[in-house]
Amino acid sequence: MECCCGLSLRSSASALLDPQGISSSHTCKRNSGDLHHQVLSLRAKQFIPHTYRLDPCLYKEALPPLKYSRKYKGAIFAESGRQTWDFGRFIRTLYFFNGPPNPAKVRNKEKARSMLGPDVDLIVGDITKMETLSPEYFKGVKKVINAASVIIGPKEGDTPDRAKYSQIKGDSPEKVEYIGMQNLINAVKNSVGLQDGELLFGFKGNITGKLIWGALDDVVMGGVSESGFQVDPKGNEDGGPTGLFKGVVSTSNNGGFTSIRTKNFSTPEDLSAYDGIEMRVKGDGRRYKLILRTSSDWDTVGYTASFDTTKEQWQTIKLPFSSFRPIFRARTLMYSKFEYDGKLNPTFVEGSFQLPFSSIRAYINEPITPRFVHVSSAGVTRPGRPGLDLSKQPPAVRLNKELGFVLTYKLKGEDLLRESGIPYAIVRPCALTEEPAGADLIFDQGDNITGKISREEIARICIAALDSPYACGKTFEVKSTVPFSELYVIDPENPPPEKDYDEYFKNLKEGITGKEALEGNPVPVE
């Protein structure tokens, strides 16, 4: 939903939200005829093993949306167009023939098309170059799995003892893991939405500066009602500033409504990632209307929802987009003697009124699941950790500096996602293998474990996390219980049991990253 008009609040006991501006009938601009959210999604089919992906193609799936179960066994199936698609078989196919694909080949759209078939929308982009991540590419994308990473390995062949391991192919860790993450977050942020919602009005920083409110009363039809908007410096429930819609409503001269409305937004608000509008108001016992408008024209259809208030009580009002009705000439946050279709407002009373409102925001329905799943790496907090025995650590930990501070920048990229406000999950695999999925797993937090895990298993974990509220806001490491000295294989006659990844996610805690074990910050970047 794009809000391009304004917000408006109406005092006939109805309230309106106008996207092109905000009025006391509130208005918000939308792109389509319905008020259901549009969303951005990069899904299962878009997963490319992270060790080998630098400048990824972004695969945007065509309708219908991806469907998957909470339990996973063997292959993962995704719907796209006319036929199902076996993700596990796709991964096995790539790694059976001469190893993983060359990043240059992945970035080649024609070759990607031959690999993925006709039912996947392909978009070529480079996360290190913001200009290649056009907002148009993310239209309709609701969720993202990011598996982009630098490529570590010799440029011209290694020695038996891996003497040339400490080389980076392509762009630097800073450019890929940090700047690339920053670019990708900026590209998808508006589309996937923020966990705490998008603030449209409220006294946070200078957020109120872009909303210019004006009265839109029944004077436009010969009435004498009068209202306005002002800021009450101490009117908030916490003693801070709040907006105040107040005035006097009269039925004289066939009038009977007052409203305030914002001027048209200079840039339309895209609320497609959200499920509705939430307001924090102090009620006066009347019913108001909130109106959202999708056009910058003066007299157009307004999408309208009414809400009741409780006298002298602060309350949170949630108005799902599905509850808004298309009404002609209803475009303000409004208090009016009419409800809809000529019916009277049951709470309408002539005289003075006032409605303090401290915030207006777009919200995401609960339970909130991750909108952005990021594949990072175990070990990102270990460089510089006091008391760590480096001889027992993976090469990337021992050679962090020689590898361009790869783990340091991976951690900085993680922090960007944690600070972005996007609902997220961060998966930190141990050493990746081409073994099949299905082995028993160990999930841990605090960045202490070493071991190995199947790439196919990581793909399944990422997909499961997209649908799990238990994964939201979590950072975790994962490995299989199979030691490096053993090769994991599957007996076709006795396949492994299905996994319910929620059982793992439920035991994880928010806020644990491994940085807790550091004295100060990780090793500084030189």
Side-chain angles (χ1 to χ4, degrees), residues 26-54:
H26 299 274
T27 35
C28 287
K29 176 185 174 185
R30 304 178 48 236
N31 253 352
S32 59
D34 63 40
L35 276 160
H36 290 86
H37 57 286
Q38 298 175 0
V39 284
L40 308 176
S41 350
L42 294 177
R43 308 189 182 162
K45 301 182 190 177
Q46 299 128 4
F47 187 94
I48 297 297
H50 81 290
T51 304
Y52 300 93
R53 189 169 174 194
L54 174 57

Side-chain angles (χ1 to χ4, degrees), residues 21-276:
I22 301 179
S23 57
S24 208
S25 313
H26 299 274
T27 35
C28 287
K29 176 185 174 185
R30 304 178 48 236
N31 253 352
S32 59
D34 63 40
L35 276 160
H36 290 86
H37 57 286
Q38 298 175 0
V39 284
L40 308 176
S41 350
L42 294 177
R43 308 189 182 162
K45 301 182 190 177
Q46 299 128 4
F47 187 94
I48 297 297
H50 81 290
T51 304
Y52 300 93
R53 189 169 174 194
L54 174 57
D55 301 332
C57 292
L58 300 178
Y59 305 103
K60 189 171 71 172
E61 197 168 7
L63 294 177
L66 174 69
K67 298 179 181 178
Y68 48 82
S69 166
R70 284 178 179 265
K71 294 188 176 181
Y72 304 85
K73 179 178 179 182
I76 294 175
F77 294 92
E79 292 184 3
S80 178
R82 299 180 301 275
Q83 57 191 31
T84 58
W85 187 72
D86 186 334
F87 180 73
R89 183 182 173 199
F90 165 64
I91 293 295
R92 289 192 296 273
T93 300
L94 292 185
Y95 284 86
F96 180 81
F97 296 98
N98 300 320
N102 183 301
K105 293 181 180 179
V106 173
R107 293 196 302 269
N108 185 298
K109 189 170 183 178
E110 288 70 29
K111 292 184 178 180
R113 173 65 67 201
S114 67
M115 291 163 51
L116 298 175
D119 297 322
V120 177
D121 291 340
L122 299 181
I123 297 172
V124 179
D126 182 343
I127 63 171
T128 68
K129 298 180 175 67
M130 189 65 200
E131 65 272 15
T132 71
L133 305 179
S134 170
E136 296 180 1
Y137 295 164
F138 300 93
K139 291 286 187 181
V141 176
K142 181 176 182 179
K143 297 189 176 184
V144 174
I145 294 174
N146 177 37
S149 176
V150 295
I151 304 172
I152 299 175
K155 300 175 182 177
E156 63 290 304
D158 207 349
T159 62
D161 60 354
R162 304 187 73 187
K164 299 181 181 180
Y165 170 81
S166 58
Q167 295 182 4
I168 298 292
K169 290 184 177 180
D171 290 320
S172 68
E174 178 183 15
K175 198 169 184 180
V176 177
E177 306 289 352
Y178 181 65
I179 297 174
M181 174 66 91
Q182 194 169 50
N183 289 341
L184 186 56
I185 287 173
N186 289 336
V188 306
K189 196 171 186 177
N190 290 336
S191 302
V192 300
L194 304 179
Q195 184 161 345
D196 293 333
E198 180 174 342
L199 188 64
L200 301 173
F201 171 84
F203 292 88
K204 181 180 180 182
N206 63 352
I207 190 68
T208 59
K210 68 178 183 181
L211 301 180
I212 302 175
W213 297 83
L216 181 59
D217 301 325
D218 58 14
V219 64
V220 298
M221 52 184 288
V224 296
S225 301
E226 186 174 2
S227 69
F229 168 81
Q230 64 189 63
V231 174
D232 184 344
K234 297 182 179 180
N236 192 290
E237 55 192 311
D238 299 321
T242 189
L244 182 62
F245 169 40
K246 63 183 298 185
V248 176
V249 64
S250 171
T251 58
S252 298
N253 297 355
N254 294 318
F257 75 87
T258 62
S259 65
I260 55 171
R261 171 178 170 175
T262 63
K263 286 189 174 181
N264 290 350
F265 294 161
S266 57
T267 301
E269 292 285 345
D270 183 356
L271 303 182
S272 59
Y274 300 96
D275 298 301

Side-chain angles (χ1 to χ4, degrees), residues 33 44 53 146 270 278 296 313 382 400 418 478:
R53 189 169 174 194
N146 177 37
D270 183 356
E278 176 183 294
S296 60
Q313 287 188 16
R382 297 179 209 174
N400 182 53
R418 280 188 280 264
V478 60

